[in-house]
Amino acid sequence: MKAAITATAKYLPANILSNHDLELMLETNDEWIRSRTGISERRILKDPEKATSFMCGEVARQLLEKRGITASEIELIIVATMTPDMLFPSTACLVQSIIGADNAWAFDLNAACSGFLYALNTAARFIECGTHKKVMVIGADKMSSIIDYTDRSTAILFGDGAGGVILEPATSEGCGILDTRMYSDGASGKNHLLMTGGGSLNPASHETIDKKMHYIYQDGRQVFKSAVIAMAEVAAEIMSRNNLTADDIDYLVPHQANQRIISATAERMGVDESKVMSNVAMYGNTTAGTIPICLAELDEQQKLHSGSNLVLVSFGAGYTWGGIYVKWQ
Ligand code: UT7
């Protein structure tokens, strides 16, 4: 039995932070940001009372409505995030409470920018083994909560957003999540993209605040080099394992960190730009949100048809990376 995506949804906060807004806050400029990253603007969840679970709740409600099911029918909720509302309880439990999914169990999964692919892969196993029939998988991050808006090397890159899917047993022969390949490399990645404060190593203290340890730190050049190689390699591996040529692929859905990384991945795969999903210009990098937001937009635009071949690829902190081949049902 295969697992198929039966509904998609996204939530982006209304508030826009444009490159021009950032020009007023930082030593940067629109031209630099667009040419180095492809980003023009990102969304920010401004309301201090609202956090990641709010965005997930908006996604979850839409998913139920689109699929025409009640919250009680959901058996498992997995939220991929690295910006949970709080360290515990999990954001997935908060989402369960928001929608009233009283028959579900729920947990968070943290694999940074690869969180959604890790979660989708995990969720698929529960469907494939026959124990679960309806699983909700959401990827969401309120990146503005961990960004230092005086640091131009990270402030320009990230935005807030959420997306998600419902997974169910595939009903069309040969459709669903057909292949998954996940990687981690903590030895190479652990020092290049991280947030050191607020965990059990450096619990919150005046010192951690003074040292700005509750903000994201990234060695951008290093991460860029690794991302370009790893995303292209895992995409090529998914293609060769499934005998897919570039022509067979209807859409490449890459993690949205930087347009240059997206284009390099597509070029290595030989996939034409017209088949590459990109919305990084509008939303920046929403971390675990990027891929499900892309899926929801393709779905809204009615570009996904039965038999469409999608290759999803991601790379992020850890390092974590991976690829998933989906034949749309
Ligand atoms: O999703 C998780 C994975 N994360 C990623 O995939 C991000 C990967 N990294 C990147 O996307 C890129 O490395 C960045 C966009 C972060 C940076 O682009 P880059 O082409 O690697 O630039 P750089 O860091 O090598 O900096 C080039 C120059 C430097 O000046 P000098 O040393 O050449 O004089 C920087 O100081 O650009 C300068 N610079 C800026 N200038 C204007 C760095 N940030 C900015 C800025 N505005 N915001």
Side-chain angles (χ1 to χ4, degrees):
M1 193 185 337
K2 296 293 179 193
I5 294 172
T6 56
T8 64
K10 71 173 202 286
Y11 174 81
L12 278 312
N15 190 272
I16 292 173
L17 179 67
S18 70
N19 290 351
H20 298 292
D21 296 330
L22 285 166
E23 281 176 355
L24 304 175
M25 300 156 63
L26 294 162
E27 187 67 39
T28 189
N29 61 80
D30 175 57
E31 207 285 313
W32 191 96
I33 301 172
R34 278 192 293 108
S35 63
R36 297 289 180 127
T37 71
I39 300 169
S40 295
E41 55 189 47
R42 58 298 286 137
R43 301 299 181 94
I44 304 294
L45 187 61
K46 272 258 163 158
D47 184 344
E49 305 273 299
K50 291 179 176 152
T52 300
S53 70
F54 167 78
M55 298 193 289
C56 295
E58 294 297 302
V59 167
R61 280 202 198 98
Q62 291 176 62
L63 286 172
L64 296 174
E65 198 179 309
K66 286 187 178 181
R67 185 65 189 103
I69 58 175
T70 64
S72 304
E73 291 176 69
I74 299 294
E75 296 155 315
L76 167 61
I77 300 169
I78 307 178
V79 172
T81 187
M82 61 178 217
T83 50
D85 285 27
M86 46 197 115
L87 281 178
F88 62 89
S90 70
T91 299
C93 283
L94 302 179
V95 175
Q96 174 190 26
S97 137
I98 290 170
I99 60 170
D102 44 11
N103 291 314
W105 60 296
F107 66 89
D108 285 2
L109 185 158
N110 180 354
C113 294
S114 298
F116 182 76
L117 290 198
Y118 272 44
L120 191 64
N121 187 8
T122 304
R125 300 290 96 79
F126 289 97
I127 301 285
E128 287 166 3
C129 74
T131 58
H132 292 63
K133 300 257 176 292
K134 286 183 173 55
V135 180
M136 194 177 261
V137 186
I138 300 175
D141 274 296
K142 184 182 172 183
M143 295 305 292
S144 61
S145 67
I146 56 167
I147 295 293
D148 174 2
Y149 283 98
T150 65
D151 174 7
R152 69 178 183 173
S153 71
T154 52
I156 59 154
L157 297 172
F158 295 95
D160 302 338
V165 301
I166 290 180
L167 270 195
E168 295 181 66
T171 50
S172 300
E173 186 67 24
C175 289
I177 292 175
L178 300 187
D179 193 24
T180 60
R181 189 76 177 98
M182 299 292 142
Y183 290 96
S184 304
D185 181 0
S188 305
K190 66 182 194 290
N191 295 322
H192 298 310
L193 181 47
L194 64 162
M195 190 176 90
T196 54
S200 56
L201 181 62
N202 301 295
S205 68
H206 290 291
E207 193 193 348
T208 62
I209 301 290
D210 290 345
K211 289 184 172 167
K212 297 189 164 194
M213 291 162 75
H214 299 84
Y215 293 130
I216 197 168
Y217 165 80
Q218 173 171 244
D219 178 345
R221 228 175 274 195
Q222 200 62 44
V223 176
F224 184 94
K225 274 192 260 171
S226 302
V228 166
I229 295 167
M231 291 235 310
E233 278 184 357
V234 77
E237 190 183 359
I238 287 282
M239 286 172 75
S240 87
R241 275 158 64 113
N242 296 284
N243 298 315
L244 291 169
T245 65
D247 285 344
D248 297 327
I249 296 171
D250 293 287
Y251 287 103
L252 167 66
V253 184
H255 171 55
Q256 309 282 306
N258 185 320
Q259 186 58 45
R260 287 153 60 208
I261 300 175
I262 295 170
S263 300
T265 306
E267 196 174 317
R268 166 80 184 273
M269 293 167 76
V271 170
D272 190 77
E273 224 175 290
S274 62
K275 295 179 174 183
V276 182
M277 183 59 197
S278 177
N279 54 25
V280 70
M282 293 185 298
Y283 309 136
N285 183 351
T286 55
T287 304
T290 62
I291 289 178
I293 291 170
C294 286
L295 288 175
E297 293 200 333
L298 284 171
D299 203 10
E300 279 164 20
Q301 294 160 11
Q302 301 189 324
K303 288 181 170 166
L304 303 177
H305 307 291
S306 182
S308 293
N309 286 318
L310 310 184
V311 174
L312 323 179
V313 287
S314 69
F315 183 88
Y319 297 132
T320 55
W321 68 104
I324 294 188
Y325 168 35
V326 180
K327 192 181 274 289
W328 200 254
Q329 171 176 289

